[in-house]
Amino acid sequence: MKDFVADRSKALTPSLTLAVDAKAKAMKAAGEDVCGFGAGEPDFDTPQHIKDAAAAALARGMTKYTPSSGTPELRQAIADKLARKNGIQYKSSQVIVSCGGKHSCFNVVFATCNPGDEVIIPAPYWLSYPEMVKMAGAKPVILPTSDATEFKITPEQLRAAITPRSKLFILNSPSNPTGSVYTRAELEALGRVCIEKGVLILSDEIYEDLIYPGATHHSLASSGPEFYAQTVTVIGFSKAYSMTGWRLGYLAAPEPIAKAIDAIQSHSTSNPTSFAQAGAVAALTGPQDHFKVWLAEFTKRRNYMLQRLNAIPGVTCIDAKGAFYLLPNVSKLGLAPMEFSKQLLEEEKVAVVPGEAFGTDRHVRLSYASSMTNIEKGLDRIERFCRKRA
Ligand SMILES: *Cc1c(COP(=O)(O)O)cnc(C)c1O
């Protein structure tokens, strides 16, 4: 048969995590007692008042198209929230609501990158970034980091990677998969390099609310007009409000970029789901008490896991203060992450995500978006597995 598949699809890397994940799911389905550390979403339910607002919107007939970049109410509520909480002033016309933060990131890359442009991405990275860049015909330029710098890149490293083709720098703090949080000073130092060299910054701040004692979140666009002019801020509802299935995220950008993305979205997805947007308004304007409860629970799990992991011979894990992931270094055990994950699943029935998926051959990712019972049992098994190999 004639090959109908476009080159841009062929350039995509099939998900490396799929093999391990599929096996874990099959084992679970077969009734095996699998401990999962793979979760990429909070294990809490969406707060009730948010669900009620969406249900009420549905009941009163909010079932039609909305403006393609979101309802005026939601765009205004987001602009108000960005001013109040992030310290950044945007007009509602600069805010675009998309079908998830992932879609917002895709829109930014698609709207700003020409074929052949270079996009700088620190590793370990969120696995979708390089693939989005390739889909746009641009070229991912990966900057490796290590435990020694808490997986953070330095301004010198960034400067050395910039060429005349560099268009975009993707910054994710707090980070998935490393959990690292850049300080305000670190962010601004990187931002100044981008300003000097004329590189746009995509600041993915989807984990802004998941920050543990000792760290604070800073939005780079709030650092001053020169930062604001060269930063696109991406946030969403999935992580902070446990709304992963609702598919709602947003970005705020300088006017010309927002306009370009508005046009792209109007000819591709059109608006995100109408009544889901009504729920999102309630998320931003209603009570925020759930954060306290969730953060207390995440903090407890994080501290426990960190202490257990670092007590395992041959394993080290940095004290990452954001998101809900830890990225232990298992390289001393002599197994590549993929092999480590396969053997761990077969031998001890524990599912972790191999680092190869995120651009590291020394780490595995463990999520703590799961119950304490699962975490305790899973760590007992991981410890037994590693002790045999240390
Ligand atoms: C979860 C996540 C997103 C966005 O998720 P959506 O469900 O599409 O809103 C964006 N960036 C990172 C790094 C994430 O982990």
Side-chain angles (χ1 to χ4, degrees):
M1 197 176 88
K2 189 177 161 191
D3 183 5
F4 292 107
V5 177
D7 297 341
R8 91 173 67 80
S9 313
K10 289 180 184 154
L12 298 180
T13 311
S15 178
L16 273 168
T17 59
L18 228 59
V20 178
D21 192 52
K23 177 125 200 257
K25 286 199 174 115
M27 284 167 71
K28 251 187 206 158
E32 299 207 55
D33 175 28
V34 177
C35 287
F37 287 95
E41 57 188 349
D43 54 320
F44 307 112
D45 196 3
T46 306
Q48 189 60 41
H49 68 279
I50 301 174
K51 293 202 266 185
D52 290 344
L58 187 56
R60 70 170 179 268
M62 192 182 173
T63 56
K64 302 290 164 58
Y65 291 132
T66 74
S68 72
S69 291
T71 62
E73 296 75 24
L74 181 53
R75 292 171 85 185
Q76 190 57 53
I78 291 167
D80 292 346
K81 176 264 179 189
L82 287 168
R84 186 175 66 236
K85 187 161 148 180
N86 305 79
I88 330 173
Q89 310 296 324
Y90 290 107
K91 288 183 274 182
S92 62
S93 59
Q94 293 174 271
V95 173
I96 312 272
V97 188
S98 305
C99 308
K102 183 180 277 186
H103 184 212
S104 301
C105 291
F106 182 86
N107 279 340
V108 177
V109 172
F110 213 67
T112 61
C113 293
N114 286 315
D117 283 352
E118 294 175 356
V119 179
I120 299 171
I121 306 171
Y125 46 73
W126 186 43
L127 65 166
S128 294
Y129 297 142
E131 305 306 315
M132 289 171 178
V133 169
K134 288 194 259 171
M135 275 191 264
K139 187 175 157 232
V141 174
I142 308 296
L143 297 190
T145 65
S146 74
D147 310 65
T149 59
E150 294 182 4
F151 305 111
K152 295 176 188 176
I153 62 159
T154 62
E156 296 70 40
Q157 220 183 337
L158 177 59
R159 187 184 296 278
I162 294 175
T163 75
R165 306 233 59 165
S166 303
K167 177 60 81 66
L168 186 67
F169 167 51
I170 303 185
L171 186 58
N172 178 216
S173 175
S175 158
N176 173 9
T178 70
S180 287
V181 184
Y182 283 83
T183 66
R184 175 175 184 159
E186 288 166 344
L187 288 171
E188 289 178 353
L190 296 176
R192 274 193 288 272
V193 174
C194 291
I195 291 164
E196 183 199 323
K197 299 284 189 180
V199 175
L200 182 73
I201 301 155
L202 192 181
S203 182
D204 181 348
E205 304 175 20
I206 190 100
Y207 293 99
E208 62 169 349
D209 295 300
L210 300 178
I211 298 265
Y212 308 101
T216 49
H217 176 69
H218 177 72
S219 289
L220 187 57
S222 73
S223 283
E226 67 280 28
F227 294 94
Y228 179 89
Q230 226 157 291
T231 304
V232 180
T233 307
V234 170
I235 311 182
F237 299 90
S238 285
K239 311 294 162 46
Y241 298 92
S242 201
M243 290 169 66
T244 46
W246 294 56
R247 308 313 305 132
L248 281 177
Y250 57 89
L251 64 88
E255 202 88 62
I257 298 174
K259 252 201 186 129
I261 294 174
D262 182 53
I264 289 174
Q265 194 161 294
S266 74
H267 291 299
S268 49
T269 56
S270 288
N271 63 275
T273 304
S274 54
F275 45 88
Q277 293 186 63
V281 171
L284 294 178
T285 58
Q288 310 288 316
D289 328 327
H290 69 284
F291 282 135
K292 235 203 218 149
V293 183
W294 294 5
L295 275 176
E297 186 58 33
F298 278 144
T299 304
K300 199 171 76 191
R301 299 173 188 172
R302 189 192 84 91
N303 294 346
Y304 175 80
M305 259 171 61
L306 199 57
Q307 176 258 318
R308 286 288 311 260
L309 285 168
N310 279 308
I312 300 175
V315 177
T316 54
C317 187
I318 68 148
D319 182 7
K321 292 198 161 66
F324 39 68
Y325 309 103
L326 289 175
L327 198 71
N329 186 324
V330 297
S331 61
K332 286 220 179 74
L333 297 171
L335 292 173
M338 193 62 152
E339 196 49 38
F340 178 96
S341 309
K342 267 189 201 150
Q343 293 185 16
L344 180 64
L345 183 61
E346 280 161 16
E347 216 172 291
E348 292 287 353
K349 301 192 175 76
V350 174
V352 300
V353 185
E356 285 92 339
F358 314 109
T360 164
D361 57 6
R362 285 167 294 160
H363 304 83
V364 294
R365 191 189 76 176
L366 272 68
S367 158
Y368 45 94
S370 72
S371 74
M372 202 62 190
T373 320
N374 176 73
I375 291 173
E376 284 172 0
K377 190 158 68 173
L379 277 158
D380 288 345
R381 297 179 184 184
I382 293 174
E383 177 160 3
R384 188 164 56 203
F385 177 86
C386 295
R387 279 189 186 279
K388 278 190 213 155
R389 287 160 176 85

